[in-house]
Amino acid sequence: MRRPEEVIIRPIITEKSNRLMEDHKKYTFEVALDATKHEIKYAVEQLFKVPVIKVNTMMVKPRKKRVLGKFRKYGYTRSYKKAIVTIPPDREIDLLNM
């Protein structure tokens, strides 16, 4: 098994993920492309010392993006894997100290 720091890359903090954190205790992370649900669960439990109830994963596809310049050029955003981790309602994760 890999080290937890290699599995979890960064937390994803958006308006929607903040609402999930506050209402449902679901935390969103960007994870390694080849990480499994078992590895993600183990990594969160080791890094944040909280039990994990459920892990949902999804692949985020690249989107077309316009590149600034004189000519009309288009590029793509990168693709990544996202994990939504559910923890018990009485526990909390401090994402600022990651």
Side-chain angles (χ1 to χ4, degrees), residues 2 15 27:
R2 292 185 280 188
E15 289 182 24
Y27 291 83

Side-chain angles (χ1 to χ4, degrees), residues 6-22:
E6 296 173 355
V7 176
I8 295 182
I9 297 172
R10 67 181 180 96
I12 297 175
I13 306 205
T14 60
E15 289 182 24
K16 185 176 182 178
S17 68
N18 277 333
R19 206 167 343 132
L20 284 173
M21 281 187 256
E22 294 167 359

Side-chain angles (χ1 to χ4, degrees), residues 7-18 20-21 26-38 40-41 44 54-63 78-86:
V7 176
I8 295 182
I9 297 172
R10 67 181 180 96
I12 297 175
I13 306 205
T14 60
E15 289 182 24
K16 185 176 182 178
S17 68
N18 277 333
L20 284 173
M21 281 187 256
K26 293 183 179 186
Y27 291 83
T28 309
F29 298 98
E30 180 182 340
V31 296
L33 288 174
D34 57 346
T36 64
K37 289 185 179 187
H38 295 289
I40 296 167
K41 179 179 178 177
V44 170
K54 189 176 182 181
V55 177
N56 293 339
T57 60
M58 64 194 76
M59 293 296 297
V60 178
K61 295 179 182 178
R63 285 178 263 165
R78 63 186 182 85
S79 64
Y80 61 94
K81 189 171 190 175
K82 181 164 70 170
I84 300 175
V85 178
T86 306

